Amino acid sequence: VADLWCVYSKPAPADGRELWTLFVQCSCITVVIGGLFYNWMFASLEYSWHLSIAMAISFSLLLLLTLLLVHPARCVFSMIMPTLGTKQGRKLLFSTCIMIAVVNITPNILSNIKTILQVIKCICKNSSDSLLNSTALLEKVSWEFGDAIQDTVPSIYKPMNGHFRFSLLQNSSLIYQKMHLAGENISREFLSVEVLVKDSIQVANRLAAGFFMLYLCFESTWYLKNYLTDLRFDNFYITKKLEHLARDRKAAHLLVGSSKKLIRPTGLKLSWEEVVLCLVRAMPVTVALMLMLVVVAMDHFVFSMADMVVTRAAQFSAVPVTLNIQYKASAGVSWIVPFLFKISGRPSAELLLGDFNRTYHHHLIFSSAHCRISPPTPPNPSVLLVVGLLFCILYATVFLETYARRLCRKIAASFFQSWEEERVLYLYRKLSRRHRKE
């Protein structure tokens, strides 16, 4: 492994064997990166498969030529990997989490909301049908009641017509048509809003992912530029070269006295300042986690609501309605007839014309088996597992960022060994001057 890394980090191969080894290394790297790039474009950013393949092949060929011919480019590319453990890598992971939520969680929420709307539409349609049928019952009742009045009352008292007519039934088809059009308009507007939101977030996520990827390359390039131009940049590590230099010049006490200000890049110990910085970095991750938990909780809440609504709608029973009509008709007589009854000694009385007492039954129906209701969609547990894994990686990168910075420096030092010796000599002189002053 050390020999392979030596060939990879050399400015130029020494012979044909090293050139072939470098070519094989760069080819393996480009194949792996090309596959990851294709999966990122097709699965995460949702580009078409032919565009993803074309972009992956073009990117792989360009990357192969760049790594094979440009020595600083190999250094920058090597530093991109540990840079993924910094804030730029976290931005890419944030972008991936947002895309997963847009592609999987948000459509599931909207689908369950559609199910609730379908149940409401079904209840409205069936209840309106039942109410319209109740008007038919009222017309039947009024017609029978009118016939009873016509048959019971003598012709001298008989009204012209005892019937009622209801004109609401004549507009039932118009009511159904308006309800159908209203439901179609709501569904169309709901679908257009869903498509607009999904497309907008998808485009924004693609732009953000491309920007973060370019900025990732820029940050690695910026680090290498500062490393090669500034001797003080990121130069506070106790490396083996610094230890050897101090030992050769019999100044090992410089490293012991300045151990609090220097860091060993091979150690796992973090300073207090680094720990505080890690806690500060963890705050945005926690805020993003809370927002994602709100979206996941909304997904579960909407699903439970849709499931409850569908279950309760299926359990709706018909509501019985009883219409009882009691009618008693009598005709009072004029003042002459009571006078004649009084003379003849008979008691006066009203003339009874007849009674009407009937009961009618009807049922109000709110649900029907003929309604087209899509079943509620439960949350996908694999999506929750992937999101949870990504946030675990995000929290890990918060504490690994310090080690990623140390690894970047080691990579730059292995690619530019002569410049690393200059940096070590500068740091040694700085420690010597500080020791003399103290």
Side-chain angles (χ1 to χ4, degrees):
V1 174
D3 293 338
L4 291 176
W5 180 258
C6 181
V7 172
Y8 182 76
S9 60
K10 274 186 177 181
D15 51 21
R17 177 179 172 274
E18 290 188 355
L19 178 61
W20 175 250
T21 303
L22 179 62
F23 177 77
V24 172
Q25 287 178 321
C26 295
S27 299
C28 294
I29 291 173
T30 52
V31 169
V32 174
I33 297 300
L36 294 176
F37 187 76
Y38 166 78
N39 185 73
W40 180 56
M41 291 192 63
F42 180 72
S44 181
L45 299 183
E46 289 193 322
Y47 284 101
S48 60
W49 66 270
H50 53 275
L51 178 61
S52 301
I53 291 177
M55 292 293 293
I57 293 175
S58 303
F59 176 75
S60 299
L61 293 176
L62 180 62
L63 181 63
L64 176 61
L65 293 176
T66 304
L67 293 180
L68 192 62
L69 300 177
V70 184
H71 176 250
R74 290 201 297 272
C75 181
V76 171
F77 177 78
S78 301
M79 285 192 297
I80 286 177
M81 300 306 164
T83 307
L84 288 172
T86 62
K87 61 180 180 181
Q88 299 306 321
R90 288 197 293 275
K91 290 179 181 179
L92 283 175
L93 291 178
F94 282 140
S95 175
T96 304
C97 290
I98 292 173
M99 199 62 195
I100 290 175
V102 170
V103 175
N104 297 280
I105 300 179
T106 305
N108 193 55
I109 295 175
L110 297 178
S111 175
N112 290 326
I113 293 177
K114 285 182 182 178
T115 300
I116 297 175
L117 293 178
Q118 288 174 357
V119 173
I120 295 175
K121 179 181 177 181
C122 175
I123 293 176
C124 292
K125 184 178 183 303
N126 285 281
S127 60
S128 62
D129 291 342
S130 183
L131 289 175
L132 290 175
N133 291 333
S134 66
T135 60
L137 175 65
L138 292 177
E139 186 175 24
K140 176 184 176 182
V141 171
S142 66
W143 198 266
E144 292 181 357
F145 182 60
D147 289 340
I149 292 177
Q150 293 287 332
D151 295 338
T152 303
V153 179
S155 59
I156 188 173
Y157 300 114
K158 185 179 292 184
M160 296 179 61
N161 192 355
H163 299 145
F164 300 95
R165 292 188 180 276
F166 290 82
S167 61
L168 183 60
L169 286 175
Q170 299 176 1
N171 298 327
S172 60
S173 61
L174 180 60
I175 293 175
Y176 295 152
Q177 183 179 3
K178 290 184 176 180
M179 287 182 59
H180 179 73
L181 290 177
E184 291 295 329
N185 290 333
I186 293 175
S187 300
R188 195 180 303 111
E189 292 177 359
F190 198 80
L191 180 61
S192 62
V193 171
E194 177 184 356
V195 172
L196 178 62
V197 171
K198 183 177 179 180
D199 291 345
S200 301
I201 297 180
Q202 187 181 50
V203 171
N205 187 72
R206 288 175 177 177
L207 294 176
F211 173 77
F212 293 150
M213 199 66 191
L214 292 176
Y215 194 80
L216 193 66
C217 299
F218 169 76
E219 185 169 344
S220 299
T221 307
W222 176 83
Y223 183 92
L224 182 60
K225 178 258 180 187
N226 288 332
Y227 177 85
L228 295 176
T229 57
D230 189 0
L231 292 172
R232 295 172 297 177
F233 175 75
D234 201 20
N235 195 6
F236 43 83
Y237 298 96
I238 304 177
T239 60
K240 292 183 178 180
K241 290 185 177 181
L242 181 61
E243 290 179 343
H244 293 162
L245 181 62
R247 191 181 306 114
D248 294 340
R249 299 190 179 185
K250 298 180 180 181
H253 60 278
L254 296 179
L255 305 183
V256 177
S258 305
S259 59
K260 295 182 179 180
K261 300 179 181 178
L262 299 180
I263 299 174
R264 293 186 180 273
T266 56
L268 299 178
K269 184 179 179 180
L270 295 176
S271 63
W272 174 250
E273 292 79 6
E274 290 174 334
V275 172
V276 174
L277 187 60
C278 289
L279 295 178
V280 173
R281 292 171 187 156
M283 293 178 62
V285 181
T286 305
V287 173
L289 177 61
M290 298 303 295
L291 294 177
M292 187 61 67
L293 289 178
V294 169
V295 175
V296 172
M298 187 181 299
D299 187 15
H300 283 79
F301 174 74
V302 174
F303 166 71
S304 62
M305 288 292 297
D307 185 59
M308 182 185 67
V309 167
V310 171
T311 304
R312 294 292 178 86
Q315 295 175 352
F316 276 169
S317 59
V319 179
V321 178
T322 302
L323 182 62
N324 186 14
I325 296 181
Q326 295 181 359
Y327 171 75
K328 182 178 181 181
S330 62
V333 294
S334 63
W335 63 273
I336 300 177
V337 176
F339 177 74
L340 295 176
F341 276 110
K342 189 175 182 180
I343 294 176
S344 61
R346 295 182 179 182
S348 62
E350 292 182 342
L351 182 61
L352 297 177
L353 301 179
D355 293 336
F356 184 84
N357 187 0
R358 295 185 186 181
T359 302
Y360 299 89
H361 299 281
H362 182 65
H363 291 84
L364 294 178
I365 301 174
F366 295 96
S367 63
S368 174
H370 300 288
C371 292
R372 294 180 297 177
I373 300 176
S374 57
T377 307
N380 191 352
S382 61
V383 174
L384 302 181
L385 180 62
V386 171
V387 172
L389 180 61
L390 288 177
F391 271 95
C392 290
I393 297 175
L394 282 169
Y395 274 105
T397 58
V398 169
F399 297 95
L400 293 177
E401 182 170 355
T402 302
Y403 304 106
R405 291 289 183 185
R406 298 178 185 179
L407 185 57
C408 286
R409 187 191 181 282
K410 292 190 68 175
I411 292 173
S414 64
F415 272 84
F416 301 94
Q417 296 182 7
S418 60
W419 183 249
E420 175 65 15
E421 294 176 357
E422 293 289 335
R423 289 169 59 86
V424 169
L425 184 59
Y426 171 81
L427 180 59
Y428 174 79
R429 292 171 179 171
K430 181 179 179 180
L431 293 175
S432 299
R433 289 193 301 268
R434 183 181 299 169
H435 180 71
R436 286 194 300 267
K437 289 180 180 179
E438 291 177 353

